[in-house]
Amino acid sequence: MKRRRKDRFHMSENQQKNTDNNPEIGAMVMMDHVNFQTPGHDMATMFFIGGLGLTRDPYRRADMQNMGINVGLQQFHLPRRERTAGEGTPPFQGLIGLVHPDIEGARLRLDSLKEIGALAHTPYRWEEDSKGVLVTSPFGYQLRLHAPGSLDFEKALGIAYVDVHVPPGTASRISAFYEKIVGAPVRFSEQGEEPSAIILAGPHQEMCFIERELEDYNTHNMHVSYHVTHYNQLRRELREHDAVMGEGRGEVFFFDKIYDPENGDAVFQMQNEVRSIYHPDFMRPLVNRWPMVTEPFSDQTLAMKNLADQLGFMPGTK
């Protein structure tokens, strides 16, 4: 049975509600990528490509300093940052929701890497739970793998959500920031013991800021990138509140100050990369190697056939 996440999508009262099953898209039209710093690309290659079976972008971020990992229409960006000896890799304490068409194949490949010691002395773990499969990467941050059709996310491969932990008492003001300043459909959820600000960041994509007691809320230079329709207007607004931290080449800028729209007070700090729909990466066709039916992945042929029988189509061909 398809598990729904409708409780995490909601239109605020002052925004028009849609009468069908799809929530209205606001000014945030697509979550583009999640960025993590990494001390090297060898382990990233083993985990993301050799293990999870994702694809390195051959056209952009293909040098020694950065690495683009294609995940359907989304990406992971993994810039290389050297760290001093003994410092380790600071963890992002949130969670990335990844829709994956061949979870069993990923498990087998990661098990093989673990058996030969390739993941030794890292935090890597694989745990099945009621929501999917929780994978702790060799770098310490976590991903939850979901089978296609288990979420409202309609693609067989992609990044569906990013969960970020924030201090108690901040979720409602974060919700107000993304609704009133960024222009996204939002929901402030008070259900359960962890109030959450749920931001619609694209078609069935979300950023969820979850209140949780932690000793450290530093996201360690992690950032989430998304495309907006009102790029210049948003940049002007954020400049007026000293929130813009820099601009890149083309239609892109960064901000790290999430503030209360009522008084301008800082609420939470996390890097956001904002891109215009004129940015050259907007809806750029990405290379993804699904289905994995040719060498050196011929051992996945049966798994992909079973997947096709289950879904009624072969991922990568629709």
Side-chain angles (χ1 to χ4, degrees):
M1 179 180 294
K2 184 175 181 179
R3 187 173 70 84
R4 309 294 286 179
R5 293 171 63 93
K6 288 298 183 186
D7 59 314
R8 302 185 74 175
F9 295 124
H10 174 78
M11 294 298 295
S12 62
E13 292 182 359
N14 64 333
Q15 291 175 310
Q16 182 180 359
K17 294 183 179 180
N18 204 340
T19 57
D20 60 20
N21 292 327
N22 295 319
E24 195 73 76
I25 297 297
M28 296 171 67
V29 295
M30 189 181 88
M31 189 191 304
D32 180 85
H33 70 262
V34 179
N35 182 297
F36 295 105
Q37 294 184 358
T38 178
H41 288 158
D42 289 348
M43 182 63 72
T45 299
M46 281 190 287
F47 176 70
F48 285 101
I49 298 175
L52 291 180
L54 305 177
T55 310
R56 181 164 187 175
D57 191 329
Y59 301 111
R60 294 181 186 267
R61 299 163 195 89
D63 56 20
M64 296 296 292
Q65 298 305 313
N66 207 340
M67 188 176 194
I69 302 294
N70 295 343
V71 194
L73 294 176
Q74 289 76 51
Q75 290 188 320
F76 289 106
H77 289 181
L78 305 171
R80 184 176 180 178
R81 298 288 187 271
E82 296 293 342
R83 297 188 175 93
T84 57
E87 182 181 3
T89 303
F92 164 62
Q93 301 188 75
L95 179 68
I96 312 300
L98 187 68
V99 174
H100 194 292
D102 185 14
I103 294 177
E104 178 61 17
R107 183 188 67 80
L108 292 173
R109 291 189 297 272
L110 286 166
D111 281 350
S112 296
L113 289 171
K114 185 177 180 180
E115 288 174 5
I116 64 174
L119 301 174
H121 311 297
T122 76
Y124 166 76
R125 291 187 65 186
W126 176 284
E127 307 168 69
E128 295 189 24
D129 61 22
S130 61
K131 298 179 180 179
V133 176
L134 186 64
V135 181
T136 302
S137 74
F139 311 101
Y141 49 81
Q142 293 186 315
L143 304 95
R144 177 169 280 121
L145 307 186
H146 299 270
S150 63
L151 304 180
D152 284 333
F153 189 84
E154 295 178 345
K155 306 297 182 182
L157 177 66
I159 297 175
Y161 62 89
V162 178
D163 288 351
V164 182
H165 300 143
V166 298
T170 60
S172 63
R173 290 186 291 166
I174 291 173
S175 173
F177 171 83
Y178 279 97
E179 177 186 19
K180 296 179 180 179
I181 304 301
V182 182
V186 304
R187 177 175 184 249
F188 174 58
S189 173
E190 296 183 284
Q191 297 179 1
E193 299 179 355
E194 298 179 320
S196 304
I198 303 153
I199 318 301
L200 186 61
H204 301 300
Q205 292 180 297
E206 64 186 39
M207 295 167 57
C208 187
F209 295 88
I210 305 169
E211 293 186 6
R212 185 170 297 181
E213 289 279 2
L214 298 176
E215 294 182 1
D216 179 16
Y217 294 96
N218 192 337
T219 54
H220 300 290
N221 296 312
M222 166 268 191
H223 72 247
V224 178
S225 174
Y226 46 85
H227 296 269
V228 300
T229 58
H230 63 323
Y231 175 86
N232 294 314
Q233 175 187 335
L234 179 58
R235 181 174 55 179
R236 284 193 299 269
E237 170 71 26
L238 293 171
R239 280 175 173 170
E240 291 177 1
H241 287 81
D242 297 320
V244 174
M245 56 184 297
E247 298 189 40
R249 294 183 179 180
E251 298 279 311
V252 58
F253 71 86
F254 297 81
F255 75 89
D256 63 351
K257 178 184 175 183
I258 298 173
Y259 57 85
D260 189 325
E262 297 298 325
N263 55 31
D265 291 346
V267 177
F268 187 67
Q269 186 173 23
M270 186 188 83
Q271 289 186 23
N272 288 235
E273 179 180 338
V274 180
R275 294 178 167 196
S276 163
I277 58 174
Y278 291 105
H279 189 283
D281 277 354
F282 179 63
M283 296 299 291
R284 175 172 65 91
L286 299 179
V287 178
N288 289 276
R289 56 181 176 169
W290 300 98
M292 298 172 71
V293 295
T294 57
E295 295 296 347
F297 306 106
S298 57
D299 60 322
Q300 297 304 309
T301 302
L302 180 59
M304 293 305 294
K305 181 180 182 300
N306 292 338
L307 177 66
D309 292 340
Q310 176 185 355
L311 297 180
F313 69 97
M314 180 68 77
T317 63
K318 182 176 181 180

